[in-house]
Amino acid sequence: ETGVTQTPRHLVMGMTNKKSLKCEQHLGHNAMYWYKQSAKKPLELMFVYSLEERVENNSVPSRFSPECPNSSHLFLHLHTLQPEDSALYLCASSQGTERNSPLHFGNGTRLTVT
Amino acid sequence: AQKVTQAQTEISVVEKEDVTLDCVYETRDTTYYLFWYKQPPSGELVFLIRRNSFDEQNEISGRYSWNFQKSTSSFNFTITASQVVDSAVYFCALSEGAAGNKLTFGGGTRVLVKP
């Protein structure tokens, strides 16, 4: 496999459920990101991990909990979400967190909160 | 605060027509990077180009070309002889400051190329 892989592709969950999104990158990168893409809103950066340490938490509610066990894997744990959290969640990776490092994105997980 | 504006929300063209996507940005930094990404229906954003603020040379890559005008804070993207496979949402993004790779994205422009 190559690139950035996200699972599941689609997820429907109730507001009381707990679920996790998974991201895996096969590019040898050392930085990983979670972005949220809502309808009619620009892409929003949620979290940045560099060398498995969280370096950015962009004022994200605590019902979203990221985990980066190693430089190839990134998770987003979800609990007690709200309907407005329904969105496309995109994972990305880059070689370093320098501002000229292009991001490589996965296909995203389409999340629907009912 | 940085800001990226893509005024065109949707553009529809017929195959083989040229299409230009506008991107205007705001930043107080003198050093910054601009990017274009393509998001096809499959969902993933695909990196197309990176330009630093000190390099105003226009670039051409196949049917794609980019026009960076620092004086007007614009970084426009042209697809020449469009094809159906070019149908996607295109995002312009800005990275600035010393705090790492935090991109500010524009709202995106949906391009629909009809056969």
Side-chain angles (χ1 to χ4, degrees), chain B residues 4-75:
Chain B
V4 178
T5 302
Q6 294 180 253
Q8 307 143 306
T9 54
E10 185 165 324
I11 301 175
S12 182
V13 297
V14 177
E15 211 170 14
K16 297 185 183 177
E17 288 183 345
D18 298 348
V19 55
T20 295
L21 311 181
D22 299 332
C23 173
V24 175
Y25 61 92
E26 294 177 28
T27 177
R28 293 183 179 179
D29 271 17
T30 55
T31 302
Y32 51 90
Y33 290 83
L34 294 160
F35 299 80
W36 275 96
Y37 285 86
K38 172 184 180 180
Q39 186 177 35
S42 53
E44 83 280 17
L45 276 83
V46 178
F47 165 70
L48 295 179
I49 191 171
R50 170 187 59 209
R51 170 69 69 232
N52 76 56
S53 52
F54 294 106
D55 182 2
E56 291 196 65
Q57 190 171 15
N58 292 330
E59 183 159 337
I60 298 174
S61 176
R63 296 184 296 106
Y64 294 170
S65 62
W66 291 270
N67 183 359
F68 178 34
Q69 299 266 350
K70 204 168 179 179
S71 59
T72 56
S73 297
S74 66
F75 186 39

Side-chain angles (χ1 to χ4, degrees), chain A residues 9 33 35 37 41-45 48 56 58 88 90 94 96-108, chain B residues 29 31-33 35 37 39 41-47 50 91 95-103 105-107:
Chain A
R9 290 297 309 274
Y33 309 74
Y35 275 84
Q37 186 176 26
K41 288 180 72 174
L43 279 107
E44 302 172 74
L45 176 65
V48 180
E56 181 74 25
N58 213 23
L88 180 68
L90 290 160
S94 67
T97 54
E98 293 75 29
R99 53 207 159 119
N100 63 342
S101 303
L103 301 185
H104 296 258
F105 285 84
N107 288 348
Chain B
D29 271 17
T31 302
Y32 51 90
Y33 290 83
F35 299 80
Y37 285 86
Q39 186 177 35
S42 53
E44 83 280 17
L45 276 83
V46 178
F47 165 70
R50 170 187 59 209
F91 292 92
S95 178
E96 64 170 0
N101 195 2
K102 296 191 293 183
L103 293 179
F105 283 86

